[in-house]
Amino acid sequence: MSLRKPALDPRTVEAVVASGYPEPYRSRVLPRSKRRIGDALGLTRIGINYTLLPPGKESSMRHWHTHEDEFVFVVEGELVLRTENGEQRLTAGMCAGFPAGSEDGHHLINRSDRDAVYLEISNRDRADGAHYSDPEVDLAWSPPHAPGRFTRRDGTPF
Amino acid sequence: MSLRKPALDPRTVEAVVASGYPEPYRSRVLPRSKRRIGDALGLTRIGINYTLLPPGKESSMRHWHTHEDEFVFVVEGELVLRTENGEQRLTAGMCAGFPAGSEDGHHLINRSDRDAVYLEISNRDRADGAHYSDPEVDLAWSPPHAPGRFTRRDGTPF
């Protein structure tokens, strides 16, 4: 059965394997793939990716957003959610939410032996910036550089 | 296993069986139940419900939004998506998206013999209004009445 818009089977959207991170962070997330299903559906006020994270990989470096609420919903497999207060195991049907401006950095890690799939959803706000929480991660994402470019914490380019 | 915020098992959130619709529309959706998981997670810029639709019931009357993108993702069961161009069958893992201002009204109908569960997600915008697409549905939802009150199409109260 082939769906037509406004309906969509997420698995029919192109899977993009890409990251704006420099090394050594890039290798910690790739070959994570994202299917940009919000874009495919013509949505502009919310962004929605259908994301596949292979075993051993991280969704992102641990971070929080200044102007965007973020929500994740596990579709398949098993992920570890890591925040300031430690780790929790999320299986299919479980979710997590990160309010804009809440300074508790988060990311997901696939510590299982099979692919995990999740939805990641946020409102879109051009003023948004991201702060990275782990001391060893020297990354920043903030206007006016965003969207499009990561810098070091002090704003200098890689 | 009990999750703590920012993680959440949607099924642990209270299921609210309620509708702001007057009759005869109210009986067409209830006892649909919504678990307000975005609220439970402290999100304010996006709204997220985990919604259960029993057999024979409709998600809403067919409508479109002026200022809010809307997205649905089927978690369990089977739903019929009805839009201007007809009907499509959505099963678990499929989705649909409705850009703000796109005048193609939509709703979901459970024509199966078991409960269906879906996520419904939108950005939040106080300027939002909803227009109802089927001629026999004499409903309107528009500022300054919203949020909180439906009227007839001509703005008069029920």
Side-chain angles (χ1 to χ4, degrees), chain A residues 1 3-4 6-8 10 41-46 48 67 69 71 85 88-89 93-97 99-100 119 121, chain B residues 1 3-4 6-8 10 41-46 48 67 69 71 73 85 88-89 93-97 99-100 121:
Chain A
M1 179 181 56
L3 297 176
R4 59 189 190 281
L8 182 71
L41 289 164
L43 305 182
T44 58
R45 300 175 192 221
I46 49 179
I48 308 174
H67 289 69
D69 282 353
F71 173 77
N85 291 319
Q88 298 184 78
R89 184 170 154 269
M94 296 179 181
C95 66
L119 291 172
I121 297 172
Chain B
M1 179 182 55
L3 297 177
R4 57 189 191 283
L8 182 71
L41 289 164
L43 305 183
T44 58
R45 300 176 192 219
I46 48 179
I48 308 174
H67 289 68
D69 281 354
F71 173 78
F73 181 86
N85 291 319
Q88 298 185 79
R89 183 171 154 268
M94 294 178 182
C95 66
I121 297 172

Side-chain angles (χ1 to χ4, degrees), chain A residues 13-19 30-36 50 52:
Chain A
V13 176
E14 181 195 10
V16 177
V17 179
S19 168
L30 295 186
R32 174 200 69 195
S33 74
K34 301 196 180 200
R35 298 178 194 265
R36 305 189 182 287
Y50 184 91
L52 184 151

Side-chain angles (χ1 to χ4, degrees), chain A residues 10 12 14 29 32 34 38 42 51 55 64 66 68 79 81 85-86 88 91 98 106 112 115 119 123 132:
Chain A
T12 63
E14 181 195 10
V29 300
R32 174 200 69 195
K34 301 196 180 200
T51 301
W64 57 273
T66 59
E68 293 181 355
L79 291 156
L81 170 67
N85 291 319
Q88 298 184 78
T91 56
F98 315 103
H106 66 273
S112 80
D115 291 342
L119 291 172
N123 61 299
Y132 290 82

Side-chain angles (χ1 to χ4, degrees), chain B residues 92-136:
Chain B
M94 294 178 182
C95 66
F98 315 103
S102 171
E103 301 188 4
D104 182 8
H106 66 273
H107 66 162
L108 300 167
I109 308 170
N110 185 348
R111 295 228 180 90
S112 79
D113 56 6
R114 66 181 184 109
D115 290 342
V117 176
Y118 56 96
L119 292 172
E120 51 184 2
I121 297 172
S122 64
N123 60 300
R124 283 183 163 159
D125 190 325
R126 293 184 62 85
D128 189 57
H131 293 272
Y132 289 83
S133 310
D134 289 329
E136 81 280 11

